[in-house]
Amino acid sequence: MKRFRIILAACLSAVLAGCGVSIKYTLSGASIPPDAKTFSVAYFPNNATMVSPILSSTMTDALVDIFSRRTRLMQVDAGGDFAFEGEIINYTSTTASVSSDDYALQNRLTITVKVRFTNALDESQSWNKTFSAYEDYDSTLLLTEVEGDLIPQIVDKLVTDIFMASASNW
């Protein structure tokens, strides 16, 4: 019986120790491979029909910021272990809700980005995806009056989704 317990304990230890790819989990929800050391973010040009002057830099800076704050990865100019490039493909304001007498009550600002993520350490984890997010605003306001507040809110949603898709294997 004692021998059986020793063998069982040894087998259990081996199973718990595991074998395979090591993944480091953080409180941010990221599961970054231990071999990953760097990330790079190329400038996201605004190729949408309608353009906001602050959108490209806000998007690019926010993506750099989220990886700098939530991971141990160091930023490099190009060729990071996690590399991001992409473009803003849609920036539109549309009617979100209408009153019973056909007047717009709310408008919706929507931003869509196409992102190419390259995981240099595991090419099977690389992807091309499109992300979209929006915020509603009162129709009595002009877009130019609210976009300075709405763009950072929408970009925050976008970069959170991009972060989760690339660093959390979700």
Side-chain angles (χ1 to χ4, degrees):
M1 189 65 164
K2 187 174 183 179
R3 212 182 262 185
F4 175 74
R5 286 185 184 165
I6 292 172
I7 292 172
L8 182 62
C11 289
L12 186 58
S13 295
V15 169
L16 291 177
C19 59
V21 177
S22 175
I23 300 290
K24 180 178 181 179
Y25 291 92
T26 65
L27 294 176
S28 67
S31 56
I32 307 291
D35 295 344
K37 306 288 184 225
T38 61
F39 76 97
S40 58
V41 178
Y43 185 73
F44 275 64
N46 192 342
N47 295 329
T49 305
M50 195 164 82
V51 175
S52 167
I54 66 167
L55 184 53
S56 288
S57 59
T58 302
M59 180 70 202
T60 305
D61 293 346
L63 195 52
V64 167
D65 185 57
I66 197 169
F67 273 86
S68 296
R69 284 185 297 107
R70 294 190 182 181
T71 71
R72 58 174 169 64
L73 300 177
M74 298 299 299
Q75 182 187 5
V76 295
D77 290 337
D81 296 330
F82 280 21
F84 298 88
E85 56 184 316
E87 62 185 316
I88 298 156
I89 59 172
N90 187 32
Y91 179 82
T92 56
S93 178
T94 57
T95 302
S97 65
V98 180
S99 70
S100 60
D101 49 355
D102 290 334
Y103 288 103
L105 297 174
Q106 292 278 298
N107 288 333
R108 176 170 292 167
L109 178 61
T110 304
I111 300 172
T112 305
V113 295
K114 184 185 282 187
V115 180
R116 289 171 296 284
F117 167 66
T118 304
N119 182 331
L121 302 174
D122 183 358
E123 195 62 38
S124 69
Q125 297 293 317
S126 298
W127 45 257
N128 291 315
K129 292 184 181 181
T130 301
F131 297 87
S132 189
Y134 65 87
E135 281 290 329
D136 293 341
Y137 63 97
D138 193 298
S139 65
T140 62
L141 301 171
L142 296 173
L143 177 59
T144 54
E145 295 176 288
V146 296
E147 69 184 343
D149 292 328
L150 297 181
I151 288 174
Q153 293 173 33
I154 298 168
V155 165
D156 185 56
K157 291 177 184 180
L158 290 168
V159 298
T160 299
D161 289 346
I162 294 166
F163 178 82
M164 296 305 281
S166 59
S168 298
N169 297 323
W170 289 14

